[in-house]
Each structure stands twice: as structure tokens, then as C-alpha cells.
């Protein structure tokens, strides 16, 4: 190669290097990949896809680590730093971390009749105090209510409309319990404050529970999640109100490792919490059951809410 050709080749190399440097300096470094964890349930995976998609829109690289197992398993992965974020239910997580926790409501409560009475912590506040060192939670999704529901036949529900009204009779009642398929929940029994049934028996699903109630096999039913997730499961039945939170508040929230998300990313998780509702989550889960991909369903929901 001649001297002139060598000089032209060197000039091209310098230009390419300069362009590469300019592109590198002008781009935002997305930093390390944020791994969002999911347990074995459909809801856990769907929440992971929502959180991963939302965080990706801040410019971060994200991934979903699915099928991590039950609550103990994915919390272990979070504690070990294998994943950075997981979706959870506030009340069940509080029960898992602190069996003696007293909070039941989603907000701080005071006794109006006795101003000197101590203020009772909310579930999110007591949860924050119960978290292992190095973990934090996003805002709870106030529009989600993932609590178990107590069911009666319509005839029995004419006189009893709330769990509080049922409580004095719980000791005389046989109750059935059925899981809601796909929901993120613990295998521990549902705790209903002030209502200890004479006995409980398990049923495989909401359909079996409904039939047992209508046939008179049991006098009350406990569905371990909101009826919106199992359409038709409460037809002909009364869902008891629970304004006093005999069943501890269960709102969806994100648990994350401190120091690995910046303020913009934490705000994005809080924005998701501000938009998510029980009915929407039920609709998203139905779409996944019908064959849609969880990532696609999550992406559409994020687009619809400008997140």
C-alpha cells in the first residue's frame, strides 16, 4: 500500500473512531439490567411483566425472571440480589414477615371517641417496618382489593350483610374454603378477625364452593380472592361487606432492593400503582388465560394508561 493510500486509510479510521466516541458520549447509559422476579402464579408473572415494561420506559434495560417458586423462594431471590423487583400483596406479605402484626386497614386509623387512644398503623406502614434491611416497597395500588371474600346464600344474606354482623354466629357455622386460580397468595389459612368458624373444609375451586353453598353442605364460603377473577362464582350468593377489614387489606405493590433504582424508576412504579385496579387486573388475567402473552398484555395496558 502506497503512502497516500495509507494516509487515507488512517484518516477513515480516525473519523470512524471519532464518530463512535461522539455516539457513545451522546447516548444515555441504561446501566445494569433490572431483573424483575415472578413466582409461579399467573398474577405474579403478569405483575412482573407490567413492572419490567414500565421500568424499561425510563430507559433502563429490564428482564423478567419467572417461575421462581412460592413467596419464600422469590423473596430469597430478592434478598440475594438475583432479582431487583417483585410484585406482592401488602397484607399477605406483612403476615408472612410479621405474624404478630396488628395493622389491618390500608390507612392510619384513630379512635375519634378517644383522642388519647394510640394511632393504629396502616398495613403499608407496618409492612415497611417489618421488611428486611435493604428492601423497600412502592405505593400500594389503592384501586386493587385482593382480599378473601366471605360468601353466604342469598337467603342467609338477607339478614346478614357484613362479616361484622356474621361474627357472633361464626362459632356455629361450617365454612368451605376455595382458592382463586392464578392469584398470588400464600397457602396459609385466611385470617378473619373476630370470626372463628366451627369448622372449615377445602374445595378445589370456586365452582365447587358455590355448589356446596347452594346445596346446603356448608353455611358459609371463603373465596381466597376477589370474585372479579372468577366470573360466575358468586351467582346466587351474597358477598359480605368488610368495611372494618376483618380480612387484612390486600393491595398490590412492588417490593424492591434499595439503592438499585433511581428516583425516576421508583416514581414509575408508583405511577403503575396509581392506575391498576382489581377489575383491570382481572381482565388482564382473563386475556392471559385465553392465550395472550403476558408481556403483550402488559404492554397494551401500559400504553392505554400512558405509562
Amino acid at each position: 500500500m502506497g503512502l497516500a493510500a495509507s494516509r487515507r486509510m488512517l484518516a477513515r479510521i480516525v473519523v470512524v473512531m471519532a464518530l463512535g466516541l461522539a455516539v457513545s458520549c451522546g447516548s444515555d447509559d441504561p446501566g445494569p439490567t433490572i431483573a424483575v422476579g415472578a413466582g409461579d402464579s399467573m398474577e405474579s408473572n403478569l405483575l412482573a411483566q407490567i413492572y419490567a415494561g414500565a421500568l424499561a420506559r425510563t430507559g433502563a434495560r429490564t428482564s423478567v425472571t419467572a417461575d421462581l417458586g412460592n413467596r419464600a423462594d422469590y423473596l430469597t431471590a430478592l434478598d440475594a440480589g438475583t432479582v431487583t423487583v417483585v410484585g406482592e400483596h401488602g397484607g399477605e406479605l406483612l403476615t408472612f414477615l410479621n405474624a404478630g402484626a396488628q395493622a389491618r386497614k390500608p390507612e392510619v386509623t384513630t379512635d375519634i371517641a378517644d383522642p388519647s387512644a394510640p394511632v393504629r398503623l396502616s398495613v403499608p406502614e407496618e409492612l415497611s417496618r417489618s421488611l428486611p434491611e435493604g428492601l423497600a416497597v412502592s405505593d400500594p395500588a389503592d384501586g386493587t382489593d385482593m382480599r378473601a371474600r366471605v360468601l353466604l346464600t342469598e337467603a342467609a344474606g338477607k339478614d346478614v350483610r357484613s362479616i361484622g354482623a356474621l361474627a357472633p354466629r361464626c362459632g356455629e357455622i361450617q365454612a368451605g374454603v376455595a382458592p382463586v386460580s392464578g392469584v398470588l397468595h400464600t397457602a396459609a389459612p385466611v385470617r378473619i378477625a373476630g370470626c372463628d368458624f366451627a369448622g372449615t373444609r377445602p374445595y378445589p375451586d370456586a365452582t365447587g364452593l358455590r355448589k356446596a353453598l347452594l346445596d346446603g353442605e356448608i353455611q358459609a364460603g371463603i373465596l381466597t380472592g376477589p370474585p372479579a377473577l372468577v366470573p360466575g362464582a358468586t351467582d346466587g350468593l351474597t358477598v359480605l361487606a368488610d368495611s372494618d377489614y376483618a380480612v387484612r387489606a390486600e393491595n398490590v405493590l412492588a417490593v424492591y432492593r434499595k439503592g438499585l433504582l433511581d428516583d425516576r424508576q421508583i416514581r414509575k412504579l408508583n405511577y403503575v400503582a396509581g392506575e391498576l385496579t382489581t377489575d383491570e387486573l382481572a381482565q388482564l388475567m382473563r386475556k392471559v388465560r385465553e392465550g395472550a402473552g403476558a408481556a403483550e398484555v402488559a404492554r397494551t395496558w401500559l400504553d392505554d394508561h400512558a405509562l
Side-chain angles (χ1 to χ4, degrees), residues 55 95 131 158 180 182 199 220 271 276 278 281 292 306:
L55 291 170
T95 301
L131 286 171
K158 288 180 180 179
V180 174
Y271 294 155
L276 192 62
T278 306
L281 186 55

Side-chain angles (χ1 to χ4, degrees), residues 44-206:
S44 186
N45 184 52
L46 184 54
L47 289 174
Q49 296 291 351
I50 290 174
Y51 292 141
L55 291 170
R57 297 181 183 201
T58 68
R61 283 191 295 257
T62 65
S63 65
V64 172
T65 304
D67 302 320
L68 288 174
N70 58 27
R71 176 170 282 115
D73 296 325
Y74 59 71
L75 289 179
T76 297
L78 185 64
D79 186 59
T82 306
V83 297
T84 303
V85 183
V86 298
E88 258 293 0
H89 293 173
E92 289 188 351
L93 181 57
L94 175 58
T95 301
F96 180 84
L97 295 173
N98 182 359
Q102 298 299 308
R104 306 203 67 82
K105 297 186 178 184
E107 69 283 330
V108 173
T109 57
T110 58
D111 187 343
I112 298 176
D114 183 6
S116 65
V119 174
R120 295 184 180 180
L121 295 177
S122 66
V123 168
E125 287 176 321
E126 191 159 6
L127 174 58
S128 293
R129 297 185 182 193
S130 302
L131 286 171
E133 185 69 26
L135 299 184
V137 293
S138 72
D139 292 344
D142 294 333
T144 59
D145 184 354
M146 308 303 289
R147 287 179 292 170
R149 304 302 203 271
V150 176
L151 315 175
L152 298 179
T153 62
E154 287 185 344
K158 288 180 180 179
D159 299 322
V160 178
R161 309 296 295 182
S162 69
I163 295 178
L166 181 68
R169 296 168 46 190
C170 287
E172 307 166 2
I173 292 175
Q174 293 287 331
V177 182
V180 174
S181 175
V183 175
L184 188 165
H185 61 74
T186 178
V190 175
R191 301 182 183 184
I192 305 175
C195 181
D196 294 322
F197 290 109
T200 58
R201 64 180 69 174
Y203 288 87
D205 53 37

